[in-house]
């Protein structure tokens, strides 16, 4: 992708000017050369953003030239940073000349394109089909329950105008479901006016109005729209006068919905009219004047997949018994995607109905589905709709292997160090967009409602791995089980990212060849130490390895390292929090000024020394550090940290760990404080929390409930998790947090509350307390029999309780019944 490579190159140019320009390693001519290239890059980025057509000759040339320029610069940085030149040597970076010549040639062609008049886009009538009724379709196999649910919904709402949005990934059957509802006889009798509109990416609103009007005029009495002057006015007159069901199929953008929705009346009458929308984007009508019912379609299970495949192949006869087992295997390989099942059925229908023929197809059914033209065309539409910056990020996600759940926290860091995004918030927004457009699916949600992990459908991943190869993407990224020595043979001189799942320790020996590496993740290897060559990778920004593993002092040589992650590998995860397996970070960790994220499940943070240490001013994440003594000096060394997790363990605590100094962390947003099971506290230090705190987890502390007053006063707190007897005592009365002032708001902004493993028996709450609570979880609260009726009076949407606690379950159900729709109970 030209845009992403240009963005990465721009960041590299900025870095070399800032670092080497200040150090004086570049000549005046070299600096001028870099500045000219930077101007070229910015102008080409602007150009690429205006031209979204994939695979054009110019875009591929831009990509290749930018890649070549970045390779030259980063090779130079790698070679010269370890062997500083003599005082009077200034480098010109002459190797850039060839790349610059190509950039200049491209720039001339860009000027010609920009100076020539831009032709108006042609309207593709095949892509903008509007008709009064949908085309015939096969039976909605496996969708019967969903069809019935939507029909009931259409009949239930009689006094307001509503929208049903049917969303899901491409090929999942949204249009099939909508057609089954639209063509139902009861639905036809219930709505006097019905129409079906199919809108693609390339639509023109006047044509939409014209075709929609043609389909409706013969359904209303003559003269109804004679006095109206415009098509928009005529349509609004029809929709104001008649009860209607309109299906807007294949809606792609909020802009398209805003254009189309102008003709619908939602403030002028309430007669139970409905608009049914199908879209690949969950947020395509995020805001509207209508009451909106969202229907998200899921993938089929293996049974329904086989039923659909069988129905398409044998609609009027029984499947031969000898083909049933292999047929089920083929259906399973479709991974629950109806479009894949349709393609598989077509492939099977073209071969003899014999076991040997089907077995031959089964051997490579996934690749045959992905290579199918119909499958590629339909599934590629979602990718074409992405912005340039999102495309590269999405292709990166497709590099992970089958069924791999990608942690968003990890993905965000990888995108940032790769230069795809500049800020964490921006990266998290990108993940949300990719998931909302159903190119990936969330597999876990955090307590604050954000996505915790996600996964790309296997067939989608296979399809876009082909796209990645077309984009020359593999020259920069390797996520595989291959031995690194094998990877080195192909792309050692250009590779930027290696995420290795190879268990063989010897595979790490090839690392010295990857001079431009930015990301190295070898958590799941069997290595107990990193080879010395790792610490020569000057460009390395993200390093993740398994624990226990030695962390040498040479880590400080990685001057550009931003993320250091030490996670339990598969061979050692059973040892989490086992003090016998401690591995200490070296003192040199305080000599890494760019370090932003330090995530270590086993390591102790060394105490800084005045003579050799400097504050880690860019450090934002420190997790999980053990037995941290929060001295004033230590808090100053990590003064800008936003996420902090500390674990205390052992038989006894005999020293003051000074948690009152946590208040000095003026940017702290998320804090986790854990005392492990069986630990005996001699000194129960009471933490003092900064007012910036938004997310707090306490575990094992056994504080009295009276101490909750300090937490209740936190003005920004949104998430509170109390685990493993974080507080002890029989009664929690939030009135005590108010003191003598009855007007005090208690937990006013709290959205999520978890109480897990607690001896709490009585919980007293007033209505103004927990006024914004959205999600309540009570787990392992076996002595608690009642949930306060006043809890979360307005915003509460979900209560989770243990199935075994029948009293709490009945209480939650009673509250749900009292509140009406909008509140759910989950066991």
């Amino acid at each position: 992708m030209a845009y992403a490579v240009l963005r990465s190159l721009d960041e590299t140019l900025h870095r070399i000017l800032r670092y080497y320009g200040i150090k004086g390693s570049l000549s005046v001519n070299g600096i001028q050369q870099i500045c000219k290239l930077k101007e070229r890059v910015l102008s080409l980025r602007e150009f690429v953003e205006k031209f979204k057509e994939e695979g054009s000759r110019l875009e591929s040339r831009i990509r290749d030239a930018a890649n070549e320029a970045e390779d030259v610069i980063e090779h130079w940085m790698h070679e010269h940073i370890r062997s500083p030149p003599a005082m009077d040597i200034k480098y010109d970076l002459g190797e850039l000349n060839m790349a610059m010549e190509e950039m200049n040639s491209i720039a001339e062609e860009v000027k010609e394109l920009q100076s020539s008049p831009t032709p108006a886009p042609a309207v593709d009538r095949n892509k903008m089909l509007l008709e009064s009724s949908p085309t015939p379709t096969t039976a909605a196999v496996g969708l019967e329950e969903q069809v019935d649910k939507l029909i009931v919904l259409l009949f239930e709402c009689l006094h307001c105008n509503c929208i049903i949005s049917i969303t899901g990934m491409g090929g999942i059957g949204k249009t099939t479901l909508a057609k089954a509802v639209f063509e139902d006889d009861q639905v036809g009798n219930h709505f006097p006016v019905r129409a079906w509109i199919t809108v693609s990416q390339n639509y023109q609103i006047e044509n939409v109005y014209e075709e929609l009007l043609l389909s409706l005029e013969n359904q209303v009495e003559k003269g109804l729209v004679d006095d109206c002057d415009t098509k928009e006015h005529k349509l609004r007159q029809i929709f104001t006068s008649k009860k209607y069901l309109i299906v807007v199929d294949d809606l792609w953008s909020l802009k398209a919905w805003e254009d189309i929705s102008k003709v619908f009346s939602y403030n002028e009458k309430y007669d139970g009219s409905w608009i049914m929308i199908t879209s690949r984007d969950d947020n395509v009508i995020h805001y509207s004047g209508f009451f909106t019912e969202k229907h998200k379609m899921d993938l089929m299970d293996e049974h329904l997949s086989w039923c659909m495949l069988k129905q398409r192949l044998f609609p009027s006869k029984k499947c031969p018994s000898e083909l049933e087992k292999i047929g089920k295997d083929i259906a399973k390989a479709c991974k629950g995607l109806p479009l894949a099942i349709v393609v598989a059925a077509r492939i099977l229908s073209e071969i003899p109905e014999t076991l040997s023929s089907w077995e031959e197809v089964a051997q490579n059914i996934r690749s045959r589905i992905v290579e199918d033209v119909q499958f590629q065309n339909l599934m590629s539409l979602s990718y074409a709709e992405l912005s340039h910056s999102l495309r590269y990020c999405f292709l990166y996600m497709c590099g992970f292997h089958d069924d791999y759940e990608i942690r968003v926290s990890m993905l965000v860091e990888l995108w940032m160090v790769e230069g795809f995004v500049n800020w964490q918030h921006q990266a998290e927004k990108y993940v949300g967009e990719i998931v909302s457009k159903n190119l990936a699916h969330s597999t876990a949600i955090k307590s604050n409602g954000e996505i915790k992990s996600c996964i790309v459908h296997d067939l989608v991943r296979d399809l876009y791995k082909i796209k990645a190869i077309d984009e020359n993407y593999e020259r920069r990224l390797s996520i595989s089980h291959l031995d690194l020595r094998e990877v080195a043979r192909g792309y050692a001189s250009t590779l930027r990212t290696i995420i290795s799942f190879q268990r063989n320790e010897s595979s790490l020996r090839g690392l010295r060849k990857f001079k431009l590496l930015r990301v190295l993740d070898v958590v799941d290897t069997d290595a107990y130490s990193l080879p010395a060559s790792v610490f020569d990778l000057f460009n390395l920004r993200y390093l993740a390895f398994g624990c226990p593993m030695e962390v040498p002092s040479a880590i400080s040589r990685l001057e550009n390292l931003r993320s250091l992650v030490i996670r339990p590998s598969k061979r050692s995860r059973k040892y989490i929090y086992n003090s016998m397996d401690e591995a200490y970070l070296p003192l040199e960790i305080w000599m890494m000024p760019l370090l932003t994220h330090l995530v270590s499940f086993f390591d102790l943070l060394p105490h800084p020394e005045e003579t050799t240490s400097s504050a880690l001013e860019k450090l934002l994440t420190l997790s999980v550090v053990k037995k941290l003594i929060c001295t004033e000096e230590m808090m100053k060394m990590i003064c800008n940290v936003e996420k902090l997790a500390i674990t205390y363990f052992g038989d006894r605590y005999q020293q003051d760990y000074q948690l009152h100094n946590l208040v000095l962390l003026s940017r702290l947003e998320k804090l986790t404080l854990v005392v492990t099971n069986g630990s005996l506290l001699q000194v129960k230090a009471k933490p003092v929390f900064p007012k910036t705190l938004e997310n707090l987890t306490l575990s094992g502390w056994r504080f009295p409930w009276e101490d909750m007053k300090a937490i209740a006063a936190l003005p920004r707190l949104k998430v509170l998790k109390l685990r493993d007897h974080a507080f002890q005592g029989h009664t929690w009365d939030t009135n005590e947090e108010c003191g003598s002032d009855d007007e005090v708001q208690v937990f006013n902004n709290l959205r999520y509350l978890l109480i897990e493993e607690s001896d709490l028996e009585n919980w007293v709450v007033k209505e103004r307390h927990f006024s914004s609570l959205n999600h309540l979880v009570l787990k392992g609260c076996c002595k608690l029999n009642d949930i306060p009726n006043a809890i979360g009076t307005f915003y509460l949407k979900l209560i989770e309780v243990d199935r075994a606690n029948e009293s709490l379950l009945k209480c939650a159900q009673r509250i749900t019944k009292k509140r009406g729709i909008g509140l759910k109970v989950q066991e």
Side-chain angles (χ1 to χ4, degrees):
M1 292 297 303
Y3 181 86
V5 179
L6 286 169
R7 181 171 187 157
S8 178
L9 174 57
D10 185 43
E11 183 189 339
T12 300
L13 294 173
H14 178 74
R15 191 156 54 105
I16 194 173
L17 284 173
R18 183 181 58 192
Y19 189 88
Y20 292 101
I22 294 174
K23 285 198 170 188
S25 300
L26 286 171
S27 67
V28 173
N29 182 58
I31 292 175
Q32 290 176 344
Q33 195 175 15
I34 293 295
C35 289
K36 287 180 181 178
L37 180 57
K38 191 170 175 58
E39 291 176 7
R40 240 347 143 233
V41 169
L42 290 175
S43 64
L44 290 176
R45 276 180 64 179
E46 292 176 2
F47 166 75
V48 169
E49 284 185 283
K50 297 178 182 178
F51 288 78
K52 292 186 69 173
E53 288 299 321
E54 288 300 301
S56 67
R57 177 182 60 85
L58 204 53
E59 181 166 339
S60 62
R61 283 179 61 199
I62 293 172
R63 180 196 65 214
D64 293 343
N67 272 324
E68 180 65 28
E70 190 171 35
D71 290 350
V72 169
I73 293 169
E74 293 199 331
H75 271 293
W76 179 88
M77 293 168 71
H78 181 276
E79 293 300 325
H80 294 288
I81 190 63
R82 296 301 176 207
S83 53
M87 194 75 68
D88 57 342
I89 295 180
K90 305 289 185 181
Y91 290 98
D92 282 344
L93 282 172
E95 297 90 341
L96 271 179
N97 289 337
M98 291 184 62
M100 281 293 292
E101 287 176 8
E102 175 66 358
M103 287 280 197
N104 291 334
S105 173
I106 294 170
E108 290 300 319
E109 294 191 38
V110 167
K111 282 183 181 179
E112 293 179 10
L113 283 172
Q114 291 176 328
S115 61
S116 60
T118 304
V123 178
D124 189 341
R125 301 294 292 182
N126 292 324
K127 288 187 176 181
M128 192 194 69
L129 174 67
L130 296 102
E131 48 191 20
S132 59
S133 60
T135 54
T137 183
T138 56
V141 179
L143 300 178
E144 294 83 2
E145 288 187 11
Q146 297 183 64
V147 171
D148 292 342
K149 176 183 176 182
L150 294 184
I151 290 175
V152 169
L153 189 62
L154 291 178
F155 293 163
E156 275 184 349
C157 189
L158 301 176
H159 303 294
C160 62
N161 299 339
C162 309
I163 293 175
I164 298 176
S165 67
I166 302 174
T167 60
M169 66 183 293
I172 205 168
K174 300 179 294 296
T175 300
T176 302
L177 175 59
K179 284 180 179 178
V181 174
F182 185 87
E183 295 173 343
D184 183 83
D185 291 338
Q186 297 179 72
V187 172
N189 295 330
H190 189 73
F191 294 95
V193 172
R194 291 188 305 149
W196 182 286
I197 313 171
T198 301
V199 184
S200 72
Q201 291 107 319
N202 301 320
Y203 76 96
Q204 289 189 354
I205 192 60
E206 280 300 314
N207 292 334
V208 172
Y209 288 164
E210 180 181 353
E211 297 294 336
L212 181 57
L213 188 59
L214 285 173
S215 68
L216 291 175
E217 280 183 323
N218 60 0
Q219 299 182 50
V220 299
E221 61 271 19
K222 293 182 178 179
L224 178 62
V225 297
D226 289 347
D227 296 332
C228 302
D229 51 356
T230 64
K231 299 183 184 69
E232 183 178 336
H233 190 188
K234 290 178 180 180
L235 288 169
R236 190 178 295 114
Q237 179 66 27
I238 294 173
F239 293 137
T240 302
S241 307
K242 298 294 182 181
K243 182 177 181 178
Y244 57 83
L245 170 64
I246 307 297
V247 177
V248 181
D249 185 38
D250 201 23
L251 188 67
W252 283 90
S253 67
L254 177 60
K255 174 65 167 58
W257 167 245
E258 289 173 344
D259 288 342
I260 295 170
S261 64
K262 291 176 183 177
V263 299
F264 294 112
S265 56
Y266 52 86
N267 289 326
E268 300 165 16
K269 71 182 181 76
Y270 303 97
D271 61 355
S273 293
W274 280 88
I275 304 168
M276 189 180 300
I277 291 172
T278 72
S279 178
R280 302 187 189 192
D281 191 341
D282 295 337
N283 296 326
V284 73
I285 52 164
H286 194 59
Y287 299 103
S288 72
F290 297 81
F291 172 78
T292 303
E293 184 75 25
K294 295 185 177 182
H295 183 84
K296 180 71 174 283
M297 295 191 69
D298 294 324
L299 297 165
M300 289 182 166
D301 59 25
E302 292 181 16
H303 171 71
L304 287 178
S305 297
W306 168 235
C307 289
M308 181 178 178
L309 181 64
K310 186 168 55 174
Q311 190 274 337
R312 294 191 70 91
L313 288 169
F314 309 105
S316 56
K317 65 177 182 177
K318 187 177 180 181
C319 172
S321 57
E322 67 273 13
L323 299 180
E324 188 162 331
K325 183 179 183 303
I326 192 66
K328 289 181 178 178
D329 290 340
I330 292 173
K332 182 179 179 180
C334 294
K335 297 292 182 176
L337 186 62
L339 176 63
I341 297 170
V342 170
V343 174
R346 175 159 40 80
I347 293 171
L348 291 172
S349 67
E350 295 171 354
I351 63 172
E353 292 179 6
T354 63
L355 180 60
S356 59
S357 297
W358 279 35
E359 285 177 339
E360 184 178 346
V361 168
Q363 290 176 2
N364 60 354
I365 185 61
R366 271 179 57 170
S367 61
R368 293 187 65 167
I369 290 172
V370 170
E371 292 167 3
D372 180 79
V373 174
Q374 178 193 5
F375 184 87
Q376 289 188 357
N377 289 343
L378 196 149
M379 299 303 291
S380 296
L381 293 174
S382 296
Y383 179 81
E385 195 67 16
L386 293 178
S387 64
H388 284 284
S389 50
L390 275 178
R391 291 180 187 180
Y392 215 65
C393 291
F394 174 63
L395 289 182
Y396 197 99
M397 295 171 68
C398 293
F400 290 90
H401 56 70
D402 281 7
D403 301 319
Y404 187 88
E405 288 194 33
I406 310 170
R407 294 189 309 279
V408 172
S409 59
M410 169 185 168
L411 189 62
V412 164
E413 290 180 36
L414 293 175
W415 284 350
M416 289 176 66
V417 300
E418 282 279 15
F420 301 164
V421 294
N422 294 325
W423 309 105
Q424 179 177 333
H425 176 72
Q426 182 185 27
E428 291 171 346
K429 182 182 176 182
Y430 280 6
V431 174
E433 285 188 49
I434 289 170
V435 170
S436 72
K437 294 178 184 297
N438 286 287
L439 282 164
H441 306 282
S442 59
T443 54
I445 302 295
K446 294 191 287 189
S447 51
N448 61 2
E450 296 177 355
I451 301 168
K452 185 176 183 179
S453 61
C454 58
I455 193 169
V456 178
H457 189 279
D458 290 346
L459 292 175
V460 173
R461 186 186 64 84
D462 289 351
L463 174 63
Y464 287 106
K465 283 187 74 174
I466 298 173
K467 180 69 174 175
I469 292 173
D470 292 341
E471 296 291 344
N472 204 16
Y473 196 89
E474 73 279 9
R475 77 187 298 279
R476 298 178 68 96
L477 172 68
S478 173
I479 305 178
S480 70
H481 291 85
L482 293 175
D483 190 304
L484 295 187
R485 290 168 294 186
E486 296 180 37
V487 178
R489 295 189 187 105
Y491 299 101
S493 62
T494 62
L495 215 59
R496 273 21 180 234
T497 295
I498 292 178
I499 301 177
S500 176
F501 298 96
Q502 170 60 246
R503 302 303 300 276
N504 185 357
E505 180 179 0
S506 64
S507 69
L508 298 183
R509 294 173 185 168
L511 280 172
R512 61 182 177 81
K513 299 180 181 179
F514 299 94
K515 296 180 180 181
L516 305 187
L517 210 58
R518 296 179 181 178
V519 172
L520 176 62
D521 186 330
V522 289
V523 168
D524 287 319
T525 67
D526 286 331
Y528 281 87
S529 62
L530 293 172
S533 56
V534 169
F535 307 105
D536 291 325
L537 300 175
F538 171 73
N539 290 300
L540 202 63
R541 305 177 193 177
Y542 179 101
L543 175 61
F545 51 87
C547 192
M549 185 183 284
E550 181 183 357
V551 186
S553 59
I555 192 79
S556 63
R557 295 170 61 190
L558 301 175
E559 296 180 25
N560 290 297
L561 196 67
R562 301 177 190 177
S563 295
L564 177 60
V565 180
I566 308 171
R567 290 197 305 266
S569 60
K570 291 179 179 178
R571 58 177 164 76
S572 65
R573 284 175 188 164
K574 61 183 178 180
Y575 298 116
I576 295 179
Y577 297 137
N578 187 333
S579 60
M580 299 300 293
D581 292 295
E582 291 179 0
Y584 292 82
L585 290 169
L587 185 62
E588 283 77 9
I589 200 72
W590 297 104
M591 301 165 61
M592 305 182 69
L594 297 183
L595 198 61
T596 306
H597 300 281
L598 178 55
V599 181
S600 171
F601 284 83
F602 284 79
D603 299 327
L604 299 174
L605 193 64
H607 196 276
E609 293 182 0
E610 293 183 6
T611 56
T612 58
S613 303
S614 59
L616 298 179
E617 294 182 354
K618 293 188 178 295
L619 191 67
L620 301 180
T621 302
L622 178 57
S623 173
V624 175
V625 59
K626 296 194 298 189
K627 297 182 179 181
L628 185 67
I629 309 300
C630 299
T631 62
E632 287 188 36
E633 180 187 9
M634 179 64 76
M635 297 301 96
K636 291 177 181 177
M637 299 294 282
I638 58 171
C639 57
N640 292 317
V641 73
E642 296 176 356
K643 297 179 182 179
L644 175 63
I646 312 172
T647 297
Y648 297 96
F649 60 89
D651 294 336
R652 295 185 183 278
Y653 291 94
Q654 298 184 3
Q655 54 186 324
D656 181 6
Y657 25 92
Q658 303 181 41
L659 295 181
H660 60 277
N661 286 323
L662 289 171
V663 73
L664 300 176
L665 299 176
S666 59
R667 297 183 61 182
L668 191 64
E669 296 178 358
K670 182 176 181 180
L671 175 64
T672 300
L673 296 175
V674 175
V675 174
T676 59
N677 291 331
S679 298
L680 300 176
L681 282 71
Q682 286 190 342
V683 181
K684 285 191 177 180
K686 292 184 180 180
V688 179
F689 306 111
K691 294 187 180 300
T692 53
L693 211 57
E694 297 181 2
N695 188 316
L696 175 62
T697 298
L698 298 173
S699 178
W701 287 93
R702 299 184 179 272
F703 293 127
W705 285 105
E706 290 78 10
D707 289 353
M708 184 61 75
K709 186 174 182 179
I711 298 174
L714 295 172
R716 299 184 186 177
L717 192 65
K718 297 178 181 178
V719 175
L720 177 60
K721 299 179 184 179
L722 307 175
R723 301 181 185 273
D724 189 20
H725 303 280
F727 286 79
Q728 65 180 3
H730 301 309
T731 301
W732 179 18
D733 187 348
T734 55
N735 293 315
E736 296 180 0
E737 274 96 71
C738 299
S740 59
D741 188 352
D742 289 339
E743 299 302 319
V744 171
Q745 297 290 319
V746 175
F747 295 107
N748 190 38
N749 289 312
L750 196 69
R751 308 289 197 272
Y752 178 97
L753 174 61
L754 164 70
I755 305 176
E756 181 179 4
E757 301 301 328
S758 173
D759 58 1
L760 183 65
E761 296 181 17
N762 304 305
W763 187 9
V764 182
V765 174
K766 286 189 176 180
E767 286 192 4
R768 64 179 177 275
H769 302 169
F770 300 97
S771 58
S772 300
L773 192 65
N774 182 272
H775 190 173
L776 173 64
V777 183
L778 300 171
K779 183 178 180 181
C781 302
C782 55
K783 295 183 179 180
L784 185 65
N785 296 319
D786 191 39
I787 302 172
N789 286 324
I791 191 78
T793 52
F794 182 72
Y795 291 103
L796 191 61
K797 300 298 181 185
L798 178 62
I799 300 176
E800 292 186 59
V801 296
D802 286 331
R803 182 189 299 270
N805 194 328
E806 294 184 5
S807 297
L808 276 188
L809 184 57
K810 290 179 181 178
C811 182
Q813 291 170 343
R814 184 178 69 249
I815 293 174
T816 302
K817 187 175 181 180
K818 181 180 178 181
R819 302 279 176 83
I821 61 172
L823 176 60
K824 298 180 181 179
V825 175
Q826 182 172 312
E827 300 175 24

